[in-house]
Amino acid sequence: MQCDMCGKEDRLFIAEVEGTELKVCKNCASFGKLKGAAKSLQPEKKSKKKEQNIDNLHKEEQKKEIILRIMQGYGLIVKNAREKLGLKQEELAKKINEKISIVHSIETERHEPSISLAEKIEHHLHIKLIEQYEETHETFKRDLRSQLTIGDLITIKKR
Ligand SMILES: [Zn+2]
């Protein structure tokens, strides 16, 4: 922004000079009646940028984590697949190098198999036991959250 009187680029003030309001630098302001600091467009731009930065912060603090987990109803999935292949619990146990009691407790869902054991069962029974589960951690800082507008809160809830 340039001074209306001398053209100098400086922080400007609004001053009434001979009945006209002008944006003038500090020096020129002394020629007229000072009315206050001129509001340039620059501070507004800055505040917009700041909002975007806050938005970026939110995104950075959302950590997505892929978690492998055993599917619900895994017991029946294993039992049905085993029976379909005409295998006894004992035979499946041998294939996956586990005791019958392990197979039995998996099928009755008393024992959830580990991911590696589930992979073995998947392989031998041609089934899917493991699912990918995406967990989003939202770790907002309290002071950041307090700066959110109602609109922001609604979009967060929608997620
Ligand atoms: Zn000036």
Side-chain angles (χ1 to χ4, degrees), residues 2-10 12 23-29 31:
Q2 289 181 340
C3 169
D4 286 344
M5 286 180 78
C6 68
K8 192 181 158 192
E9 279 211 31
D10 202 348
L12 299 182
K23 284 171 190 160
V24 293
C25 70
K26 207 177 170 184
N27 287 335
C28 299
F31 291 110

Side-chain angles (χ1 to χ4, degrees), residues 51 54-55 58 143-157:
E51 275 171 36
I54 288 169
D55 204 45
H58 290 161
D143 56 337
L144 271 177
R145 184 160 243 185
S146 66
Q147 284 175 33
L148 295 178
T149 64
I150 289 168
D152 286 329
L153 288 175
I154 289 167
T155 42
I156 287 164
K157 275 186 181 172

